[in-house]
Amino acid sequence: MNTSVIAVGTELLFGQVINTNAAYLSRELQTLGFNVLYHYTVGDNPARLRATLGRALADTDIIVTSGGLGPTQDDLTKEIIAETMGTRLVCDERALAEIESLFKRLGRGMTDNNRKQAMMPDGATVFYNPRGTAPGFALKRDDKTVIALPGPPAELTAMFETSALPYLERMTDSVIRHRTLRFYGIGESQLETDLRSLIDGQTDPTFATYAKEGECSLRVASKRRTREEADAVVERAVREVISMVGDHLYSDKDEELRTVAARLLIESGLTLAVAESCTGGLFASELVSYPGISEVFDRGYVTYSNEAKTEELGVDPALIERYGAVSEDVAVAMAEGAREAAGVDIGVSVTGVAGPDGGTEEKPVGLAWMALADASGAYARRHMSINRGRNSNRRVTTLAMLDLLYRYLKDA
Amino acid sequence: MNTSVIAVGTELLFGQVINTNAAYLSRELQTLGFNVLYHYTVGDNPARLRATLGRALADTDIIVTSGGLGPTQDDLTKEIIAETMGTRLVCDERALAEIESLFKRLGRGMTDNNRKQAMMPDGATVFYNPRGTAPGFALKRDDKTVIALPGPPAELTAMFETSALPYLERMTDSVIRHRTLRFYGIGESQLETDLRSLIDGQTDPTFATYAKEGECSLRVASKRRTREEADAVVERAVREVISMVGDHLYSDKDEELRTVAARLLIESGLTLAVAESCTGGLFASELVSYPGISEVFDRGYVTYSNEAKTEELGVDPALIERYGAVSEDVAVAMAEGAREAAGVDIGVSVTGVAGPDGGTEEKPVGLAWMALADASGAYARRHMSINRGRNSNRRVTTLAMLDLLYRYLKDA
């Protein structure tokens, strides 16, 4: 069945909020085997919401909306859906009770505009909100279904998982299965060129390459009658891809490099300390995003000043004097110093020019030296970011550090 | 004039990539005084792209597209736009030369599919790409204008600023001016309730509240004939808002709390050291995202293990023993320890339970203790995150630390 996703909210059209819900809903709907044909965003404007809902109902079978269920005056989604589907709003007693009890739990007074949230289209399947005050619902008329979910991502995802997903599973016929392979160290056009013989003239499975910041991915998808059939097609294709460009692959199930590296580190049982300059704690933070990392991640040093590099890591001031803070020698000394100071198995370091200022002809903005030290010694890697700004440089440099650690652990 | 933003790319409908371009373009278009009425996302599908472009041309005057200009086979945006606007594609020699020279600079071989990127609609104003290989363009027919930009955000923003913005400025009549006020420590529905007397029955200026993770914002906008007129209306309204809910305000120009705190720190000239446990370097990283912070940010400690807290910060193991690592006393000892170890003016610390595991009845997941130490002593703040997962807890806790530092500097 074909679906449309409609995000409602003037703040989206003002560009004040990024629409992450459309991506989340699309992933979930695709996995259920529904084709997502369109994303729409409209403001809190009755006429345009009505027009968009009308178009979506004409073009597709299932419409999922996000936003406009809240307490404030400009929240109109329920009213427009009820009107378009030819029904009216009635008060849902359980919803009202849940809203009242949530405010009690938070110890906050309930403002009157929150009662509005308990009004639901007559005949709708109400989805209660595990994470907030606004309930959602599914409303079916003839062969069209509209599912309305709240705008805040945490509420939308929780409600989707607890209520919308089971509701939709009862409607699905065929199944799309897909795998996303993630690559570091190869560009998108090179990836497509290398895979041309495989991709050309394919209808199922389908292959889609795309570039992310500092890396790129390949999505392999198959739509079949059964999950098993689709899985088998995808699995065969993935094996072919890996045989062609496997050197650059770091995940065959769309995991972040930080996740793969952190898991490998925990599996290795090797303890780690990190010493960061230009990335300013971002590398440590990326590793710490992984639950359970405390087993192996001992500590990090954000040695931003030269004094810090010397005092915390024992970097010889003469090295900084001779080669500069951004140099292979200082990166190695930082990695070794972090390892020794913390008394751990591995030390990883970085020193670079994040920008926007501080670049020179010899050491331009975007240049970073990173190193990894273990009991057997240390080695360094030079990394040059395409300079897309200070924080892009910091993110891309952090990705290169994750790759440095990942390859070390993979080959260990 | 009314505008639509069309994002092209099956990866968006698959939910593999989040559409940040629509938000960026919307902010820019609104600021120029163009109303953004719709965002559309369509896949790399000729029929649906044709249909969507047709709808957008019927409903609005200016259409801005992102994506589908790349080298790969599924990039079809130019072809469909040329066909819809009744023209054909011709090779742009300068574009071809720039693509060839970029590949030389990167020292990579140019694959054949990259030549496709130099084909431009006949009669278009070509926008050359300062950040990548795919050029964009503006194509005008009668009273309709289509502007095509590349999909990668870094390329899109650079091309918008250098080429599309000057092009659009020549088309604008009236002006929307807006200010976004950012608040910490007040919820969205409370904010709207407090401002009800101001918001009710307003048509210009308009007020829009919305919730972000851990904070909320208010957008005040006015659309007038001249920039001066609109600015004056917004300025008056902003002063009224501040008089009503100013205590919670931290920015009256939509700046991030990390930006406001970092700038205040640099202005204060006070040097800072940071000691983080549960946030794992995120707080340091947030501050380091601000250019020039090296003047005052000396170093950070990610003291994840208890040993690290003792060895790096001199936290008495007996304190950890008695009160636990997540406690007011340990937070204070960490802040004081960081300040002394680094020999700086201010120490800021945090220790908490990020989750998903490790929570107890007494110390649930989401609990954090943070402290700030200066020459006159130290004080702590208890922070409880609504538990929306490990990394949400880490982000919200970091925001609370930024608020702790911000309020200290503001009152200093």
Side-chain angles (χ1 to χ4, degrees), chain A residues 2 32 46 64-65 81 98 130 138 151-152 163 189 205 213-214 260 270 276 343 369 381-382 398:
Chain A
N2 293 332
L32 286 165
V64 182
T65 71
I81 293 173
E98 291 205 353
S163 302
S189 54
E213 188 177 58
V260 176
L270 296 167
E276 303 178 66
W369 277 99
R381 180 196 286 187
R382 183 181 188 279
T398 299

Side-chain angles (χ1 to χ4, degrees), chain A residues 55-356:
Chain A
R55 282 175 181 176
L57 283 165
D59 293 344
T60 53
D61 313 302
I62 300 170
I63 290 80
V64 182
T65 71
S66 67
L69 303 182
T72 61
Q73 293 177 303
D74 56 8
D75 294 312
L76 298 159
T77 305
K78 284 184 298 191
E79 289 74 1
I80 302 294
I81 293 173
E83 171 201 310
T84 305
M85 306 284 276
T87 178
R88 64 198 183 82
L89 296 179
V90 295
C91 181
D92 184 273
E93 291 309 328
R94 179 177 159 195
L96 184 59
E98 291 205 353
I99 293 166
E100 286 167 341
S101 77
L102 180 88
F103 273 88
K104 281 201 193 68
R105 278 209 308 286
L106 293 176
R108 283 199 270 141
M110 173 168 155
T111 52
D112 264 343
N113 48 12
N114 279 292
R115 297 185 197 290
K116 174 173 174 296
Q117 299 184 104
M119 298 299 289
M120 291 284 125
D122 201 2
T125 305
V126 177
F127 298 159
Y128 298 98
N129 191 330
R131 288 278 178 87
T133 55
F137 60 86
L139 185 59
K140 190 173 189 316
R141 194 193 53 188
D142 309 329
D143 56 348
K144 304 288 184 178
T145 303
V146 177
I147 292 176
L149 301 171
E155 298 182 26
L156 177 127
T157 52
M159 186 181 291
F160 189 90
E161 284 160 25
T162 55
S163 302
L165 182 59
Y167 185 95
L168 286 162
E169 274 172 339
R170 292 193 292 274
M171 298 174 66
T172 172
D173 46 3
S174 73
V175 185
I176 286 187
R177 300 288 288 173
H178 60 78
R179 292 265 293 280
T180 295
L181 309 186
R182 297 181 67 147
F183 300 87
Y184 184 86
I186 183 172
E188 182 194 13
S189 54
Q190 187 61 54
L191 182 63
E192 199 209 27
T193 303
D194 292 356
L195 296 174
R196 178 60 52 80
S197 64
L198 186 61
I199 295 176
D200 277 0
Q202 274 286 17
T203 58
D204 188 293
T206 57
F207 298 84
T209 61
Y210 41 93
K212 281 206 176 70
E213 188 177 58
E215 59 178 308
C216 74
S217 310
L218 175 74
R219 187 179 191 284
V220 182
S222 175
K223 182 172 186 175
R224 298 293 164 117
R225 198 64 53 81
T226 71
R227 168 179 289 238
E228 293 62 32
E229 211 181 322
D231 280 336
V233 172
V234 169
E235 182 52 36
R236 262 196 311 280
V238 165
R239 275 200 305 271
E240 279 195 79
V241 169
I242 291 175
S243 71
M244 294 165 84
V245 290
D247 313 348
H248 300 286
L249 179 88
Y250 69 80
S251 171
D252 63 359
K253 42 179 118 50
D254 199 20
E255 292 180 304
E256 303 272 351
L257 184 50
R258 68 182 188 184
T259 304
V260 176
R263 190 178 47 231
L264 265 182
L265 183 64
I266 292 171
E267 287 167 3
S268 75
L270 296 167
T271 53
L272 175 72
V274 306
E276 303 178 66
S277 184
C278 58
T279 52
L282 186 57
F283 177 69
S285 180
E286 288 288 83
L287 288 175
V288 168
S289 68
Y290 191 82
I293 196 71
S294 56
E295 291 171 35
V296 287
F297 179 77
D298 181 72
R299 72 193 70 177
Y301 303 89
V302 183
T303 52
Y304 217 60
S305 66
N306 288 342
E307 297 64 38
K309 293 179 181 67
T310 300
E311 293 165 17
E312 303 297 340
L313 308 171
V315 176
D316 180 351
L319 268 188
I320 298 175
E321 182 59 40
R322 185 172 329 130
Y323 302 106
V326 179
S327 61
E328 176 169 13
D329 299 74
V330 169
V332 166
M334 287 171 69
E336 289 173 334
R339 179 175 176 274
E340 282 150 30
V344 292
D345 300 315
I346 312 172
V348 172
S349 72
V350 68
T351 174
V353 189

Side-chain angles (χ1 to χ4, degrees), chain B residues 67-113:
Chain B
L69 304 181
T72 60
Q73 293 176 304
D74 56 7
D75 292 313
L76 297 159
T77 305
K78 285 185 297 191
E79 290 73 1
I80 302 293
I81 292 173
E83 171 201 310
T84 305
M85 305 285 275
T87 179
R88 63 197 184 84
L89 297 179
V90 296
C91 181
D92 184 90
E93 292 308 328
R94 178 177 159 193
L96 184 60
E98 291 205 352
I99 293 165
E100 286 167 342
S101 77
L102 180 87
F103 273 86
K104 280 201 196 65
R105 279 208 308 287
L106 294 176
R108 284 200 268 140
M110 171 169 156
T111 52
D112 264 345
N113 47 12

Side-chain angles (χ1 to χ4, degrees), chain A residues 13 15-16 26-27 39-41 55 59 210 219 280 285 288 298-302 305 311-312 390 394, chain B residues 12-13 15-16 26-27 39-41 55 59 210 280 285 288 298-302 305 311-312 390 394:
Chain A
L13 294 179
Q16 304 283 332
S26 297
R27 279 193 302 275
H39 295 170
Y40 298 94
T41 302
R55 282 175 181 176
D59 293 344
Y210 41 93
R219 187 179 191 284
S285 180
V288 168
D298 181 72
R299 72 193 70 177
Y301 303 89
V302 183
S305 66
E311 293 165 17
E312 303 297 340
R390 177 180 181 87
R394 292 175 59 231
Chain B
L12 294 161
L13 293 180
Q16 304 284 333
S26 297
R27 282 194 300 275
H39 295 170
Y40 297 96
T41 302
R55 280 174 180 175
D59 292 344
Y210 42 92
S285 181
V288 168
D298 181 72
R299 72 192 71 176
Y301 302 88
V302 183
S305 66
E311 292 166 18
E312 303 296 340
R390 177 181 180 85
R394 293 174 59 231

Side-chain angles (χ1 to χ4, degrees), chain B residues 173-193:
Chain B
D173 46 3
S174 73
V175 185
I176 288 188
R177 299 289 287 172
H178 61 79
R179 292 264 294 280
T180 295
L181 310 187
R182 297 179 67 145
F183 300 87
Y184 184 85
I186 182 172
E188 182 193 11
S189 54
Q190 187 61 53
L191 183 64
E192 199 209 26
T193 303

